[in-house]
Amino acid sequence: MKLKDLGEFNLIRQIASDLPSLKEGIVGIGDDCAVIPKSGSDEAWLISTDMLVEGVHFLTSKMSPVQLGAKVLIVNLSDIAAMGGSPRFCFLSMALPSDLEVSWIEDFFKGFRNICSLYDVLLLGGDTTHSLNGITLSVTIIGDAKITDIKKRSTAMPGDLIAVTATLGDSAAGLECLLKKNPSFDYLLNQHLAPKPYLAEGRFLAKEQSVHSMMDVSDGLASDLLRITESSNCKARIDLEKIPLSRELILFSEKEKVDPIEYAVCGGEDYCLIFTFEKRQLAELIASYSEKFRKPFYVIGEVLASDPTDTTMSRLKILYAEHGRVVSGERTEKFRGYDHFAKN
Ligand code: ADP
Ligand code: MG
């Protein structure tokens, strides 16, 4: 069997299935960060690592080194935000071709350092090595949080509402503008090139007991929500008409004659948060969140109980509905997020 037939998520499942069990309190593979309790404390370390590969995640012809230096850290900060934590330290590993201009590396570090100082993260080490083929960058981020605040993917409950903290699909459309040299959608381009980590929002939601589960949207709604339903052993319904779309994505879709919902459901790299919370707390939660952040979050669906008599993976699937009716067939078959090995 080839890796493209197995897929990224089955591979990770396979890796995870063959490991010794962990001591009480430690969370390993399966969430945005690993969790390691600090001894003698009510806090835990949050640790995550993410890699960016030239030609797969970025093109040096389309992204400045300053932007790349910022983004490689931001995508890691997003995983700390997803657990409700605060970033503290990082490690940076780089595989670089020997003919790379030193000025490129200096500019890369300008971007990296800007984000370190903006979010109070200290670079503690890393590794530097020679690459025969393009640039590979990997950041390991270390953050922390109060143990009782940490939000996992595995704790969504049937009846919870599902919400996101920002419009979806902008980064995917921005990438397309970048590749097609379409400069007329600055906002979309910027969402792709310079995403923001939702750290303050993550910490706020982490303090709310009514919030049951949380993760960041990195591979796209379809893929990421499936991670929540799988690890929480439930299903979900997404109400397509409730998905927040930016004005710019709608304009882009009209111009390009494409379906903006498809970008919102399948497109990755928005790096906003998706979370589930107790339905009866909706009014209170949206009021306190809007007051603090001067913007709302967006309810896009509901967590459903899985059918215990169903033994197939479809018991954990996502249903897509439009104005109360479940949509199926050709349209939703396309609703898949990003898998690094599948034939996307
Ligand atoms: P994210 O998109 O939040 O960075 P991923 O989908 O990349 O998360 O990873 C899902 C989980 O699988 C995480 O807990 C991650 O640590 C783990 N994981 C991914 N690749 C590997 C690997 N090669 N070995 C061990 N764990 C891995
Ligand atoms: Mg994540």
Side-chain angles (χ1 to χ4, degrees), residues 157-160 162 229 233-237 302-307 315 317 319:
M157 313 262 283
D160 279 1
I162 302 167
T229 58
N233 196 22
C234 55
K235 278 200 212 192
R237 188 197 68 247
E302 189 172 342
V303 178
L304 309 173
S306 69
D307 176 359
R315 77 181 193 287
K317 73 177 183 186
L319 303 174

Side-chain angles (χ1 to χ4, degrees), residues 25 27 31-38 43-49 76-91 140-152 199 202-203 206 214:
V27 177
D31 223 306
D32 293 290
C33 294
V35 180
I36 305 175
K38 297 183 187 179
E43 294 195 337
W45 293 113
L46 301 170
I47 304 169
S48 179
T49 190
N76 280 273
L77 295 179
S78 180
D79 280 322
I80 298 286
M83 307 295 286
S86 303
R88 304 287 179 208
F89 311 108
C90 69
F91 290 77
T140 297
I141 188 96
I142 301 174
D144 59 5
K146 209 171 152 193
I147 290 169
T148 48
D149 288 350
I150 293 170
K151 303 294 181 196
K152 298 188 199 153
L199 282 160
R203 279 191 294 263
M214 185 156 71

Side-chain angles (χ1 to χ4, degrees), residues 69-71 73-74 77 110-121 195 197:
K71 189 166 174 178
L73 186 52
I74 286 169
L77 295 179
K110 270 185 209 154
F112 191 86
R113 270 196 304 267
N114 282 346
I115 300 301
C116 280
S117 68
L118 199 57
Y119 295 99
D120 241 342
V121 182

Side-chain angles (χ1 to χ4, degrees), residues 13 44 65 91 108 165 196 203 210 283 338 340:
R13 215 175 276 139
F91 290 77
F108 170 87
T165 56
K196 306 252 173 332
R203 279 191 294 263
S210 59
Y338 192 72
H340 282 275

Side-chain angles (χ1 to χ4, degrees), residues 69-320:
K71 189 166 174 178
V72 72
L73 186 52
I74 286 169
V75 302
N76 280 273
L77 295 179
S78 180
D79 280 322
I80 298 286
M83 307 295 286
S86 303
R88 304 287 179 208
F89 311 108
C90 69
F91 290 77
L92 169 66
S93 297
M94 312 189 288
L96 305 172
S98 47
D99 62 353
L100 189 64
E101 291 292 335
V102 172
S103 63
W104 188 96
I105 303 170
E106 286 165 355
D107 286 343
F108 170 87
F109 270 98
K110 270 185 209 154
F112 191 86
R113 270 196 304 267
N114 282 346
I115 300 301
C116 280
S117 68
L118 199 57
Y119 295 99
D120 241 342
V121 182
L122 297 171
L123 177 62
L124 294 188
D127 195 18
T128 305
T129 182
H130 171 221
S131 157
L132 295 177
N133 206 345
I135 300 166
T136 296
L137 304 159
S138 172
V139 169
T140 297
I141 188 96
I142 301 174
D144 59 5
K146 209 171 152 193
I147 290 169
T148 48
D149 288 350
I150 293 170
K151 303 294 181 196
K152 298 188 199 153
R153 298 177 181 180
S154 56
T155 38
M157 313 262 283
D160 279 1
L161 293 178
I162 302 167
V164 288
T165 56
T167 57
L168 298 174
D170 296 331
S171 176
L175 174 61
E176 204 160 303
C177 292
L178 199 65
L179 296 177
K180 286 188 176 162
K181 298 200 180 90
N182 183 348
S184 49
F185 295 98
D186 270 0
Y187 172 83
L188 300 176
L189 283 170
N190 202 49
Q191 291 303 104
H192 179 75
L193 293 170
K196 306 252 173 332
Y198 284 75
L199 282 160
E201 290 83 349
R203 279 191 294 263
F204 174 90
L205 293 167
K207 296 270 172 221
E208 294 291 331
Q209 290 215 335
S210 59
V211 174
H212 291 154
S213 68
M214 185 156 71
M215 75 179 287
D216 67 325
V217 183
S218 56
D219 290 336
L221 174 66
S223 172
D224 291 329
L225 181 57
L226 202 56
R227 307 279 86 81
I228 291 183
T229 58
E230 281 176 2
S231 56
S232 300
N233 196 22
C234 55
K235 278 200 212 192
R237 188 197 68 247
I238 292 296
D239 301 316
L240 293 174
E241 76 280 4
K242 292 187 185 159
I243 294 179
L245 303 174
S246 68
R247 199 173 55 90
E248 290 78 2
L249 180 61
I250 291 169
L251 290 174
F252 166 86
S253 304
E254 284 167 1
K255 185 158 177 249
E256 298 293 319
K257 300 192 173 32
V258 292
D259 179 3
I261 291 291
E262 207 176 306
Y263 282 77
V265 174
C266 310
E269 297 206 273
D270 283 311
Y271 296 110
C272 63
L273 300 174
I274 180 165
F275 61 100
T276 78
F277 65 99
E278 258 171 72
K279 197 186 282 179
R280 64 194 169 95
Q281 296 296 326
L282 172 62
E284 207 173 295
L285 191 59
I286 202 139
S288 56
Y289 183 96
S290 305
E291 193 189 336
K292 172 133 177 92
F293 296 107
R294 302 272 142 226
K295 62 185 179 187
F297 59 75
Y298 307 91
V299 174
I300 59 169
E302 189 172 342
V303 178
L304 309 173
S306 69
D307 176 359
T309 61
D310 186 351
T311 53
T312 67
M313 281 308 282
S314 74
R315 77 181 193 287
L316 308 172
K317 73 177 183 186
I318 302 171
L319 303 174
Y320 293 96

